[in-house]
Amino acid sequence: MAQWDRLRQLSDVYRQELHELYDRDALPMDVRHYLSVWIEKQEWLRAAQDPDRAMVLFQDLLSNLDIQHSRFVQEESFLLQHNIRRYKQNFQNYQDDPCTLARNILWFLEKEKEILDRADLAEQVQFLNVAQEAMEISSLQDLERKMAGLRNDMQCMEHTMSCLEEQQDEFDFKFQTYKMEAVVDEAVKKEQMKFFQQLINRLDECRKSTLSDLHKLLDKTEELINLLVKKELVEWQRRQQKACIGAPDSVCLDQLETWFTCVAVCLFQVREFLSKLEELVGKVSYANDPVKAQKPALQKRADTLLKDLLKSSFVVETQPSMPQGKGPLVLRTNVQFSVKTRLLVKFPELNHSMKVNVSMDRYRRFNVLGNNTKALNMAESQSGGMVADFRHLVSDNDLRISLSVTEELHIVYFNTVFEQKGLSVELQACSLPVVIISNSSQQQSAWASVLWFNMITYYWNLMLDIYFECIPAAAWPQFGEMLSWQFLSATKRGLNDAQLEMIAHRLFGKKQSYDNCKVAWSKFSKENPPDTFYVWFDGILVMVKSYLEDLWRDGHIMGFVSKGKEKSLLKKKQRGTFLLRFSESVIGGITFSWVETTITGEPDVKTVQPFTKTDLSQIPFVEIIRNFQILEAENIPENPLLYLYPNTPKDEAFGRYYSERTGGKDIK
């Protein structure tokens, strides 16, 4: 099925991501929709690097738009005619630089594929985890019950305030009437004063009860704020960190927004209750009035809770990322990047009124194309959240410290002011630490820094300028999980236990258990340059993603297996059994080994030289396997690869991938 057709069939959550993707101006969704078949057939990667090819596609695009325009003329679709004509005019700006247009369209297609991958992965996760952990479900249900309880308490408090006001009005009316009657009989006057004292006592008890209820209400509110801010929000932040480096974690904020907004609304109601009490005291007061004594402390507590909630509610929903970066949080000087902030307290009346300003830490000067201020609004979010989506931010190259560029960590800050019903609170959100590079050759090392930081660091208000000087080690279970995420996010298939064991063996040597082993930052990204562990690992990942994704995803590549393990596996198998593994010495290399039988009947394992991207870009790997030959006796060529480990006939395993092309590499 065509990619665009698959995208249109996704669930609402992922269609929302698609809508947000096409909020950008570089490729209108109308054009993507009506030219979907043509767009998906073109070689945009080649065009991005070949100006002549890019110009051909540029002209073809304009021609296709003309055809589409003519169709809309015939159908009398006035609005679509107008839009297509406008899009064509915008695309003509690429006349002098068609490669940029090709890169832009390629970026959109890759982002679409990421959405499809996440949707497929979510489906797999749902299949594997039919229900959440019972404890997690119980925790969420408990929080929902407390929210419902808070809303119910607020309704009860509204009724209580109404009763208090009626009771006070009754006292006030009767007392004013008494004063106008000017009773002179002392006995009657004494009896009436006794009656009014009873009314005052009842009013005093009612005020004390109301104040007690307000204290209890704030206790419940504080408990909920602690749950939201110190637990739910912290867990979301951790999930976001992990998702940035490939974990299949949900980072949707809609539920948190509902909870934050509910508590904020309740606290504003408490402030209204306190204002009402002050109004009532202004009409009727007496000695030892409990409202006068307790209201200031209640007011201070309510305001403090509300400010704490609001300050935590301003977050970075989508971390900084470049259109064609290796991943989020790696930015390149003089290249645009985007980032989105969100206010979890959703008050529609504040739509477009709260201005967000952007700044960066002291190490680099920070520039924004256009205005560095944007309003929080509900139009830029498909869910209707209060967001400010910055799409054209740029960091220039004014470096002010001398650390290694890929070990510099910087923070992007966002500031705004929340003003509502007499309350003014300054809010600040900050991004996860970003690495800023000056050229694409630093991309790999920068991504290693991002992986390491977000794997082991849960709190980033640290001494970032010296972070990599005293960086902690990573426990192997945590490290192995992070490595698996890289494959999972790139290919939809992570690493199994056997593959992780081979990697652990490479790092630590042979051990009974690796659970207590630790990986140092230097071992991950600094030892044996330029071929560090991460360069080796990432070289494999890039190769798999570029040339072997289907084979890897379908489980045909054993991949991470040592030479010793390989031999022990194959020697137990019949002649012609082979397996595919990644090279331990050649960066981005894959090879295969097979078992033969010597004249004495002993198994003999043979291995071919690793194939690299140079080979795989010319001949698909399945065709290399299909047509691989060696010279047997009497110089008769023979393909020794018969069964994919453990015992699947080669053509049964790979037949669906074969094409008409042939090619091979002989071993002498």
Side-chain angles (χ1 to χ4, degrees), residues 324-600:
Q324 295 174 307
K326 191 173 181 65
L329 305 173
V330 176
L331 310 179
R332 184 173 171 181
T333 54
N334 302 315
V335 174
Q336 290 184 7
F337 65 92
S338 60
V339 59
K340 183 189 293 184
T341 62
R342 181 165 176 174
L343 184 66
L344 298 179
V345 173
K346 181 180 173 182
F347 284 7
E349 59 268 32
L350 295 178
N351 192 28
H352 290 286
S353 67
M354 293 177 62
K355 309 296 182 183
V356 180
N357 297 307
V358 188
S359 61
M360 188 173 262
D361 60 33
R362 65 187 181 277
Y363 300 129
R364 287 182 185 264
R365 190 170 70 249
F366 189 70
N367 291 330
V368 181
L369 291 184
N371 198 335
N372 65 348
T373 301
K374 193 160 191 178
L376 285 167
N377 66 88
M378 297 177 351
E380 292 186 321
S381 169
Q382 292 298 316
S383 65
M386 295 277 289
V387 304
D389 192 359
F390 292 88
R391 302 175 186 172
H392 306 293
L393 305 184
V394 172
S395 172
D396 70 11
N397 203 21
D398 182 18
L399 185 62
R400 298 178 185 174
I401 60 175
S402 57
L403 287 174
S404 168
V405 168
T406 58
E407 291 187 359
E408 294 176 28
L409 297 175
H410 306 276
I411 304 291
V412 184
Y413 295 97
F414 304 88
N415 293 278
T416 188
V417 178
F418 180 97
E419 292 182 323
Q420 177 80 339
K421 298 180 180 178
L423 184 72
S424 179
V425 186
E426 293 184 359
L427 310 181
Q428 183 179 83
C430 63
S431 73
L432 288 166
V434 300
V435 177
I436 301 176
I437 61 177
S438 55
N439 60 71
S440 57
S441 66
Q442 300 166 326
Q443 180 90 234
Q444 190 179 55
S445 294
W447 183 240
S449 296
V450 168
L451 287 177
W452 196 271
F453 182 93
N454 290 286
M455 171 182 58
I456 65 175
T457 308
Y458 294 10
Y459 183 70
W460 55 90
N461 187 15
L462 306 165
M463 297 292 290
L464 295 180
D465 51 345
I466 60 170
Y467 178 79
F468 284 98
E469 294 179 11
C470 51
I471 190 169
W476 164 250
Q478 184 182 34
F479 183 80
E481 184 180 45
M482 180 272 289
L483 296 181
S484 183
W485 290 341
Q486 305 315 295
F487 273 84
L488 186 63
S489 61
T491 68
K492 295 188 293 186
R493 185 185 183 94
L495 305 179
N496 60 35
D497 290 343
Q499 291 163 337
L500 288 171
E501 184 178 358
M502 178 270 175
I503 297 173
H505 183 270
R506 178 186 176 97
L507 288 167
F508 309 112
K510 182 63 177 175
K511 293 183 181 295
Q512 284 292 108
S513 172
Y514 296 99
D515 288 349
N516 295 323
C517 294
K518 290 185 178 294
V519 185
W521 163 246
S522 58
K523 197 174 191 67
F524 176 64
S525 186
K526 300 183 79 67
E527 283 185 3
N528 305 316
D531 299 337
T532 65
F533 171 85
Y534 180 67
V535 168
W536 170 76
F537 180 85
D538 189 57
I540 293 171
L541 180 60
V542 171
M543 174 187 61
V544 170
K545 178 66 176 173
S546 301
Y547 303 105
L548 306 169
E549 184 172 352
D550 289 343
L551 297 181
W552 172 263
R553 188 165 57 241
D554 293 342
H556 296 320
I557 301 175
M558 187 174 292
F560 293 100
V561 55
S562 66
K563 293 179 181 178
K565 180 74 171 178
E566 172 192 67
K567 288 184 178 180
S568 68
L569 292 174
L570 289 176
K571 283 186 175 181
K572 302 173 185 176
K573 294 296 178 181
Q574 61 183 315
R575 177 180 178 273
T577 302
F578 67 100
L579 57 79
L580 313 178
R581 67 174 179 85
F582 303 131
S583 172
E584 296 182 65
S585 56
V586 176
I587 302 299
I590 186 169
T591 185
F592 46 78
S593 299
W594 67 96
V595 62
E596 292 190 353
T597 305
T598 65
I599 57 175
T600 62

Side-chain angles (χ1 to χ4, degrees), residues 58-228:
F58 168 75
Q59 293 170 345
D60 286 350
L61 174 62
L62 297 185
S63 297
N64 275 284
L65 290 174
D66 286 336
I67 294 170
Q68 201 64 42
H69 182 267
S70 300
R71 174 189 158 195
F72 292 142
V73 170
Q74 293 174 0
E75 296 175 357
E76 297 184 355
S77 301
F78 177 76
L79 182 59
L80 290 173
Q81 293 175 46
H82 169 80
N83 288 344
I84 292 294
R85 186 168 59 249
R86 179 165 57 87
Y87 299 149
K88 180 182 176 183
Q89 291 172 349
N90 291 341
F91 282 127
Q92 286 173 337
N93 293 329
Y94 293 102
Q95 177 77 40
D96 298 328
D97 188 13
C99 286
T100 296
L101 174 62
R103 284 193 293 270
N104 287 340
I105 295 177
L106 178 64
W107 180 80
F108 276 95
L109 293 175
E110 289 174 345
K111 289 298 179 183
E112 288 178 3
K113 194 169 187 305
E114 289 177 11
I115 293 173
L116 288 171
D117 289 347
R118 284 195 294 274
D120 290 344
L121 184 60
E123 186 176 339
Q124 293 174 21
V125 170
Q126 186 176 10
F127 177 76
L128 294 173
N129 302 285
V130 179
Q132 292 174 278
E133 293 281 344
M135 185 180 299
E136 184 178 345
I137 293 174
S138 175
S139 176
L140 291 175
Q141 289 175 341
D142 183 55
L143 184 53
E144 284 288 0
R145 282 195 296 268
K146 289 178 179 178
M147 285 287 175
L150 179 64
R151 288 190 290 267
N152 183 66
D153 289 346
M154 295 305 299
Q155 292 176 352
C156 293
M157 181 56 66
E158 287 180 3
H159 177 70
T160 298
M161 292 298 299
S162 178
C163 292
L164 177 62
E165 185 173 19
E166 289 177 4
Q167 186 175 352
Q168 180 167 313
D169 287 345
E170 177 190 5
F171 168 81
D172 192 44
F173 173 77
K174 290 180 178 179
F175 190 68
Q176 296 302 327
T177 302
Y178 160 75
K179 288 197 295 185
M180 286 189 295
E181 290 176 349
V183 177
V184 294
D185 187 305
E186 289 299 324
V188 173
K189 182 185 291 187
K190 186 175 181 180
E191 192 64 30
Q192 287 181 328
M193 290 304 296
K194 183 179 178 181
F195 170 72
F196 286 123
Q197 186 60 52
Q198 291 174 344
L199 290 181
I200 283 289
N201 291 342
R202 284 170 49 199
L203 180 61
D204 184 66
E205 287 300 319
C206 191
R207 285 187 176 181
K208 288 178 179 177
S209 176
T210 301
L211 291 167
S212 176
D213 289 345
L214 283 172
H215 279 292
K216 293 176 183 177
L217 193 57
L218 289 180
D219 288 341
K220 292 183 178 181
T221 305
E222 184 172 9
E223 180 185 0
L224 277 170
I225 290 174
N226 285 332
L227 281 174
L228 290 179

Side-chain angles (χ1 to χ4, degrees), residues 227-337:
L227 281 174
L228 290 179
V229 173
K230 297 179 180 179
K231 182 178 182 294
E232 298 298 332
L233 184 60
V234 169
E235 289 179 359
W236 173 82
Q237 288 170 331
R238 182 57 186 156
R239 289 198 303 273
Q240 187 188 49
Q241 272 191 284
K242 291 161 62 181
C244 282
I245 57 174
D249 288 5
S250 170
V251 291
C252 180
L253 281 168
D254 293 350
Q255 183 63 72
L256 271 178
E257 179 187 77
T258 299
W259 290 334
F260 268 78
T261 302
C262 173
V263 177
V265 167
C266 290
L267 282 171
F268 271 108
Q269 282 185 279
V270 169
R271 296 176 85 245
E272 291 175 3
F273 294 152
L274 292 172
S275 295
K276 188 64 179 178
L277 282 177
E278 188 171 8
E279 178 187 327
L280 294 178
V281 168
K283 294 178 180 178
V284 175
S285 189
Y286 46 87
N288 299 318
D289 188 337
V291 174
K292 287 185 176 180
Q294 297 182 41
K295 192 250 178 190
L298 279 168
Q299 185 76 59
K300 182 178 180 181
R301 187 181 179 198
D303 288 351
T304 299
L305 290 174
L306 184 52
K307 288 177 181 178
D308 290 345
L309 181 72
L310 290 169
K311 287 178 179 178
S312 300
S313 70
F314 189 39
V315 299
V316 176
E317 180 177 15
T318 305
Q319 292 294 330
S321 63
M322 297 186 300
Q324 295 174 307
K326 191 173 181 65
L329 305 173
V330 176
L331 310 179
R332 184 173 171 181
T333 54
N334 302 315
V335 174
Q336 290 184 7
F337 65 92

